[in-house]
């Protein structure tokens, strides 16, 4: 027998360990980062709040209730300085989940690094900077596609020269899966995005042809891994093969190292359940295996959600638990000692080949439309995701897709893990007031002349087509705020509302709708016209998957639907309800800002004399908040545990019949 062992010559280094974190204030987030780093985390992944992501200051009307809720508020250089206090940026690998305002947050980061005396050439990290998936899934876009792609091009062209170790865009299929993408759609839509971006960089003339392969080599990806981990492993191996082929054939990259599929991952949050949330620990572990077991398709960085993220913000202990899962896999097991476990597997190769063939067919369809941007404008990709997600919901409702604790094995003992007042982290309301006060003090202390000059040069650069990065860094150092930077570019580029993907044609393949349709018809007869349902998303929360599915199912039930997409003020929603003479309003809020935003909607309905229009609310809403909303006059509150959309539709018809009709 041979003594040769199938070990690698050298044990692989583990991936970068991260947790996605940021909340409340820059100071609180800095303390959290330093605590996590002391526990063995090896990189940072910064979550920004919604005003920061969409280019508003904390005192803007759309920022109400959103400050510090889903991430850290960064309004100016002082906040960025505080966020990384005592963290040497020259030695840190920092990922920033930022897209529409990526150029601005990167400018602030560079300015903060300059203050630390860091060598820009040594800075390592990533800005997500994938605007196409924002139009499709996550919703934190600001500008139209063309200027948005120009900003991405500017960042890529700047960083390859000035910050050569930085990943200037992170093509992000993670949120596509969260929005319902199949593995084939995730492969095709992400690769179409990467091609769109690289084609724009090449056409811009900012990068010499001789250097273009280096630019291709800095493109990274951010992917999702669901619980069907055999399929997910095959998907990642398909990503590796397809990207290598695209780099070689489309862009002529000869160096295999520059054709590597470099990706980070956060495993699936869509599949985390509010019911029996302790089960999420096993889901997260299984999903992590999908992106680590195959050596040739292994993630370079992994961040795991916490077991209780379907309930609200995780505590530091919850994040530590997820970090420990990574460390146990990397340091206690023998995973990193072996060559790829799936080489030679006919089963795995057949699945990879199938996914590649289907993804190439989808890529070809997008190419024939004119590319990813054209597929956004035509609503092709958005509508495909909405329909895929609708099919997923229907399979859970019918039991064809099993989710333990949701539609099977519902019996459960009380969990000791999530009890008490501090079961999840809650951002206190005074955080917003403090951030506004901080912002006012910052404005009062800065040199107004320097600010005006920096903003004037930023505006000129945007109009003239100059690279936006140096003027943005100058703005950061002059004391410009996030809202001011955003206002200048909004004024130059304009704003955009992406297609909702919610079509007008009802589906006929959803079971259990006959009785509901009959009830809708009966109530419509009483009302004297078709029951009209407004689905609204107040505030800055762009996660529209739930709202879209409610709108689609209501459409399929025969209701007249008003859904104008994301980012509306309470004033706009109430005005639309009054002008449209709707019979019921449904508000969807997942950012934690439900209490102030719903309160304002109710107040404005009262001012308009239309408290006769019932309001229902959906989102990640703790029980005590649900009680408060009902006390304020809300007719129904729904959370992720209410997965039966037909039951929600029946409730809405009943509410209109008993409250609205009266």
């Amino acid at each position: 027998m041979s003594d040769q062992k199938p070990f690698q010559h050298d044990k692989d280094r583990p991936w970068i360990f991260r947790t996605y974190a940021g909340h409340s204030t820059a100071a609180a987030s800095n303390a959290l980062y330093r605590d996590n780093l002391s526990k063995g985390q090896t990189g940072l992944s910064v979550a920004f709040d919604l005003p920061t992501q969409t280019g508003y200051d904390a005192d803007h009307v759309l920022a109400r209730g959103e400050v510090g809720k889903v991430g850290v508020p960064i309004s100016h250089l002082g906040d960025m300085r505080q966020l990384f206090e005592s963290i040497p940026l020259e030695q840190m690998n920092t990922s920033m989940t930022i897209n529409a305002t990526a150029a601005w947050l990167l400018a602030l980061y560079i300015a903060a690094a300059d203050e630390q005396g860091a060598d820009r050439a040594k800075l390592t990290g990533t800005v997500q900077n994938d605007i196409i998936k924002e139009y499709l899934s996550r919703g934190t876009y600001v500008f139209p596609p063309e200027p948005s792609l120009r900003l991405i091009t500017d960042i890529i062209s700047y960083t390859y020269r000035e910050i050569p170790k930085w990943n200037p865009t992170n093509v992000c299929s993670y949120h596509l899966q969260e929005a319902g993408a199949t593995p084939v759609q995730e492969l095709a839509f992400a690769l179409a995005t990467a091609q769109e971006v690289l084609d724009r960089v090449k056409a811009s003339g900012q990068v010499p042809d001789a250097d273009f392969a280096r630019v291709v080599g800095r493109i990274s990806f951010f992917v999702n891994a669901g619980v069907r981990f055999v399929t997910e492993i095959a998907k990642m191996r398909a990503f590796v093969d397809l990207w290598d082929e695209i780099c070689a054939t489309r862009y002529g990259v000869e160096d295999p190292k520059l054709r590597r599929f470099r990706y980070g991952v956060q495993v699936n949050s869509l599949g985390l359940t509010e019911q029996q949330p302790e089960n999420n620990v096993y889901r997260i572990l299984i999903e992590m295996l999908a992106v680590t077991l195959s050596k040739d398709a292994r993630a370079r960085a992994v961040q795991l959600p916490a077991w209780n993220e379907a309930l609200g913000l995780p505590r530091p202990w919850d994040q530590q638990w997820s970090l420990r899962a990574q460390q146990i896999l990397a340091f206690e097991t023998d995973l990193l000692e072996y060559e790829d476990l799936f080489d030679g597997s006919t089963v795995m190769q057949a699945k990879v080949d199938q996914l590649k063939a289907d993804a190439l067919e989808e890529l070809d369809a997008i190419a024939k439309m004119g590319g990813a941007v054209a597929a956004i404008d035509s609503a092709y990709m958005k509508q495909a995701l909405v329909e895929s997600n609708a099919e997923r919901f229907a399979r859970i409702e019918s039991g064809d897709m099993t989710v333990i604790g949701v539609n099977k094995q519902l019996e459960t003992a009380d969990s000791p893990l999530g009890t008490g007042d501090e079961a999840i982290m809650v951002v206190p309301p005074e955080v917003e007031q403090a951030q506004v006060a901080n912002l006012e003090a910052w404005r009062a202390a800065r040199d107004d002349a320097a600010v005006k000059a920096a903003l004037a040069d930023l505006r000129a650069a945007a109009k003239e087509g100059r690279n936006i990065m140096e003027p943005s860094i100058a703005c950061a150092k002059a004391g410009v705020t996030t809202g001011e930077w955003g206002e200048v570019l909004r004024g130059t580029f304009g704003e955009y509302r992406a297609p909702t993907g919610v079509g007008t044609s009802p589906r006929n393949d959803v079971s259990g709708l006959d009785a509901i349709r009959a009830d809708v018809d009966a109530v419509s007869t009483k009302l004297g016209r078709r029951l009209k349902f407004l689905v609204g998303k107040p505030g800055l929360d762009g996660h529209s998957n739930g709202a879209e599915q409610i709108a689609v199912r209501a459409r399929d039930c025969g209701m007249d639907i008003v859904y104008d997409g994301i980012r509306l003020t309470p004033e706009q929603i109430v005005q639309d309800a009054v002008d449209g003479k709707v019979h019921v309003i449904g508000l969807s809020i997942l950012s934690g800002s439900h209490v102030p935003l719903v309160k304002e909607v109710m107040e404005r309905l009262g001012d308009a004399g239309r408290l006769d229009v019932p309001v229902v609310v959906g989102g990640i809403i703790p029980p005590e908040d649900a009680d408060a909303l009902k006390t304020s006059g809300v007719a129904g509150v729904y959370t992720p545990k209410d997965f039966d959309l037909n039951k929600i539709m029946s409730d809405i018809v009943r509410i209109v019949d008993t409250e609205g009709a009266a």
Side-chain angles (χ1 to χ4, degrees), residues 328-579:
I328 289 168
L329 180 64
F331 298 132
E332 292 191 21
T333 78
D334 56 355
L335 174 66
L336 299 180
E337 298 170 12
Y338 287 89
E339 294 292 347
D340 198 294
L341 306 179
F342 301 97
D343 282 351
S345 167
T346 55
V347 173
M348 180 59 69
Q349 192 58 50
K351 185 64 176 176
V352 171
D353 290 344
Q354 176 203 336
L355 289 173
K356 286 173 61 178
D358 292 346
L360 286 170
E361 185 177 337
E362 186 69 53
L363 265 172
D364 185 58
I366 294 170
K368 288 177 180 176
M369 294 175 199
V373 168
I376 290 169
D377 290 336
S378 69
Y380 169 77
M381 289 198 288
K382 179 64 174 178
Q383 194 158 351
L385 293 179
V386 172
E387 293 302 322
S388 293
N389 212 12
E391 291 173 12
R392 175 184 172 275
F393 269 91
R395 288 171 56 223
I396 294 174
E397 289 175 303
S398 68
D400 290 342
M401 177 177 173
T402 296
V403 183
I404 300 300
V406 174
N407 61 4
K408 194 170 186 178
Q409 273 74 58
L410 306 186
E411 65 285 348
T412 181
D414 291 336
S415 169
L417 292 176
T419 58
D421 293 337
E422 298 182 359
I424 57 172
M425 185 182 296
V426 177
V427 177
E430 54 267 24
V431 162
E432 184 169 320
Q433 300 163 14
Q435 185 67 15
V436 171
N438 166 296
L439 182 63
E440 291 172 348
W442 177 267
R443 288 175 182 148
R446 66 189 182 177
D447 182 340
D448 286 341
V451 168
K452 289 178 181 177
L455 287 173
D457 188 52
L458 176 70
R459 185 178 293 107
K463 289 180 177 179
E464 296 164 9
R466 283 190 281 127
N467 190 296
I468 213 73
M469 283 306 302
E470 284 295 356
S472 294
I473 295 170
C475 282
K477 293 183 176 182
V480 166
T481 68
T482 296
E484 290 165 341
W485 184 91
E487 184 179 8
V488 164
L489 295 193
R490 279 182 169 90
T492 306
F493 297 148
E495 293 191 70
Y496 185 71
R497 295 198 69 79
T500 66
V502 177
T504 57
S505 301
R507 291 161 55 101
N508 292 314
D509 58 348
V510 181
S511 61
L513 293 189
D514 290 345
I516 304 173
R517 285 170 173 165
D519 289 342
V520 170
D521 289 342
V523 171
S524 297
T525 299
K526 287 184 184 180
L527 295 169
R529 57 190 173 90
R530 180 59 47 183
L531 191 162
K532 196 169 189 179
F533 180 20
L534 184 150
V535 179
K537 285 197 63 63
L540 295 175
D541 170 34
H543 289 85
S544 58
N545 304 333
E548 289 157 3
Q549 293 310 311
I550 290 292
V552 166
R553 187 59 58 87
R555 176 204 69 192
D556 294 345
C557 290
M559 300 184 203
D560 188 0
I561 298 302
V562 179
Y563 177 58
D564 292 332
I566 62 172
R567 213 175 304 159
L568 300 171
T569 65
E571 181 182 13
Q572 289 172 316
I573 289 172
V574 171
Q575 192 62 53
D576 287 347
V578 172
D579 292 345

Side-chain angles (χ1 to χ4, degrees), residues 239-254:
F239 256 133
V240 169
D241 289 354
L242 289 168
W243 184 241
D244 184 78
E245 293 166 14
I246 288 169
C247 291
T249 60
R250 189 182 185 96
Y251 299 114
V253 179
E254 297 179 358

Side-chain angles (χ1 to χ4, degrees), residues 585-600:
I585 298 172
L587 303 177
S588 171
I589 308 167
L590 280 81
S591 63
S593 58
H594 42 270
V595 171
L597 291 176
V598 172
K599 179 182 177 183
E600 184 174 350

Side-chain angles (χ1 to χ4, degrees), residues 183 225-234 286-287 290 351 395 401:
V227 77
R228 292 173 58 82
F229 81 107
V230 175
T231 298
E232 295 294 332
I233 293 170
I286 290 168
E287 290 164 354
K351 185 64 176 176
R395 288 171 56 223
M401 177 177 173

Side-chain angles (χ1 to χ4, degrees), residues 35-96:
D35 183 51
N36 284 345
L37 291 169
S38 74
K39 294 174 180 176
Q41 185 172 302
T42 54
L44 294 177
S45 182
V46 182
F48 297 102
D49 74 354
L50 289 172
T52 304
Q53 292 184 50
T54 51
Y56 292 109
D57 283 332
D59 56 356
H60 192 278
V61 61
L62 276 169
R64 184 182 179 193
E66 306 281 17
V67 177
K69 286 287 173 63
V70 302
V72 58
I74 300 296
S75 297
H76 46 70
L77 179 57
D79 287 338
M80 186 66 83
R81 185 187 299 142
Q82 191 170 45
L83 184 66
F84 293 107
E85 184 178 353
S86 302
I87 298 175
L89 297 184
E90 192 175 286
Q91 302 170 30
M92 183 51 55
N93 190 300
T94 305
S95 173
M96 296 191 285

